[in-house]
Amino acid sequence: GVQTCALPISMNEPFFPGHFPAKPVMPGVLILEALAQSCALLAILSLGPDQAGKLTFLMGIDGARFRRQVVPGDRLELQVEVTKQKGPVWKEKGTALVDGQVCAEAEVMAMLVDPKDA
């Protein structure tokens, strides 16, 4: 099923002064990073507590689209869902929303490995 977490976006974020000085906007690459980390967390949690400590290696991001800007004061909601899992490879769909409106979406592919095998 779909798992959700939310992040308050504050003007105090270190990227806002340079992106952009007159109109602060959260960089799209950081929204994708938040989605990718949320997908990695879902994969680890799905495996159960005996798999804690696995490393997640990003393999690809497909179909990334940006629909709306994220600005200070927004509450960024991240929704992730496993779409396919085969062995150590996980494919998940991530959607970022603000006030119920999609601001970004992407498919994330990652591989989970034991640290000793990395």
Side-chain angles (χ1 to χ4, degrees):
V2 176
Q3 299 295 315
T4 303
C5 71
L7 307 168
I9 306 301
S10 164
M11 185 57 193
N12 295 327
E13 302 293 344
F15 48 79
F16 279 135
H19 199 272
F20 299 96
K23 173 132 177 60
V25 175
M26 184 173 183
V29 68
L30 294 181
I31 298 169
L32 288 180
E33 175 68 16
L35 286 173
Q37 287 192 25
S38 296
C39 286
L41 182 59
L42 176 58
I44 294 281
L45 292 174
S46 296
L47 291 174
D50 58 324
Q51 298 296 311
K54 293 252 181 182
L55 299 176
T56 306
F57 291 106
L58 184 64
M59 297 174 65
I61 295 179
D62 295 323
R65 297 286 181 264
F66 300 97
R67 312 276 185 212
R68 176 191 188 283
Q69 294 177 345
V70 178
V71 298
D74 282 346
R75 183 175 172 270
L76 184 63
E77 185 177 308
L78 305 170
Q79 295 182 344
V80 293
E81 172 180 25
V82 176
T83 57
K84 187 175 183 179
Q85 188 260 326
K86 185 172 182 180
V89 178
W90 292 70
K91 191 166 190 177
E92 299 175 64
K93 177 171 175 44
T95 306
L97 303 105
V98 172
D99 295 329
Q101 295 180 344
V102 174
C103 55
E105 56 193 341
E107 290 182 348
V108 177
M109 188 181 316
M111 183 182 334
L112 275 67
V113 297
D114 193 292
K116 70 180 184 331
D117 298 331

